Amino acid sequence: MSDFFDLVNQRESCRNYQPDHRPSKEQLIRCIEAARLAPSACNSQPWSFIVVNSEEKSACVAKACQYAGINKFTSNCPAFIVICEEPAVLMSGKVNQKYAQMDIGIATAHLCFAATQQGLSTCIMGSFDQQTLLDALNIHEEKLVRLVLAVGFDAGDKLRPKRRKAVEEIMTYLD
Ligand SMILES: Cc1cc2nc3c(=O)[nH]c(=O)nc-3n(C[C@H](O)[C@H](O)[C@H](O)COP(=O)(O)O)c2cc1C
């Protein structure tokens, strides 16, 4: 898929994965490569990524995501990318916001588009049990996991219509 707008239309949150169809290591590394190239405030790159692509470890991540009875679909998802926030070194004097979460959001969008481009499906998850995740993956206690991305192959075949606000509702155009 080469057209950016096709890619944008193709990407949707997948909550129905083929449990036995695992993405390849190369595909997942391509996703990380795209995230690595994302812009960030002062080029601070305040992120790191833990790629989980094994039956045993993926089951642990799925358990952590099934926090408060949600994200049950993760049981069938073969792989995950755990997105952590790292300390940001910013140019002093030019900083009037905390940018790390914005930067991570942009990097996560890059992950999703790189996955879609390769025929993979994703679902961003912001709800998970932080401690269960840290324990399961032996992540340092002080690390902050911001998002978990489910990655795999869609078990369905049809794109859902997008439910979005209209352009007129969200845009003010001044000319
Ligand atoms: C920061 C963030 C957190 C999200 N957390 C979850 C989640 O925990 N579980 C889930 O099923 N979807 C989650 N989503 C997916 C949204 O529900 C989804 O992107 C939105 O409904 C639009 O649908 P689409 O992605 O299919 O276009 C999250 C999305 C974002 C950006």
Side-chain angles (χ1 to χ4, degrees):
M1 196 185 311
S2 56
D3 184 84
F4 177 70
F5 289 95
D6 286 345
L7 199 57
V8 168
N9 277 307
Q10 190 74 28
R11 188 221 55 84
E12 66 178 9
S13 296
C14 173
R15 300 184 181 87
N16 182 20
Y17 291 91
Q18 298 175 33
D20 301 323
H21 196 173
R22 195 168 282 293
S24 69
K25 185 175 182 181
E26 292 69 30
Q27 286 174 315
L28 293 167
I29 291 174
R30 293 273 291 161
C31 294
I32 303 299
E33 178 64 18
R36 187 178 79 84
L37 297 176
S40 59
C42 304
N43 202 21
S44 53
Q45 304 164 66
W47 48 57
S48 63
F49 306 93
I50 302 169
V51 179
V52 181
N53 194 16
S54 88
E55 199 173 333
E56 185 206 338
K57 295 276 180 219
S58 293
C60 294
V61 176
K63 191 171 162 227
C65 292
Q66 288 174 24
Y67 170 73
I70 60 163
N71 294 329
K72 296 227 181 290
F73 68 91
T74 51
S75 295
N76 278 343
C77 182
F80 297 91
I81 299 176
V82 176
I83 303 155
C84 303
E85 181 176 329
E86 298 293 337
V89 180
L90 300 167
M91 269 186 288
S92 56
K94 297 211 172 181
V95 176
N96 57 8
Q97 288 195 59
K98 289 193 165 72
Y99 300 104
Q101 289 196 51
M102 302 176 207
D103 297 337
I104 284 172
I106 298 168
T108 303
H110 278 218
L111 286 175
C112 292
F113 289 127
T116 306
Q117 220 275 338
Q118 298 180 88
L120 295 164
S121 291
T122 57
C123 184
I124 302 170
M125 287 173 288
S127 293
F128 47 83
D129 187 77
Q130 181 90 219
Q131 196 58 52
T132 306
L133 208 47
L134 297 182
D135 293 344
L137 301 180
N138 257 324
I139 307 174
H140 196 278
E141 275 294 318
E142 279 163 26
K143 191 88 91 182
L144 193 55
V145 178
R146 284 296 184 191
L147 293 169
V148 176
L149 189 68
V151 190
F153 291 89
D154 200 335
D157 56 1
K158 234 170 126 229
L159 278 182
R160 295 184 300 273
K162 302 251 180 250
R163 291 192 300 120
R164 295 294 193 268
K165 293 176 183 173
V167 170
E168 305 74 55
E169 209 182 325
I170 59 171
M171 180 186 71
T172 304
Y173 190 96
L174 306 173
D175 60 358

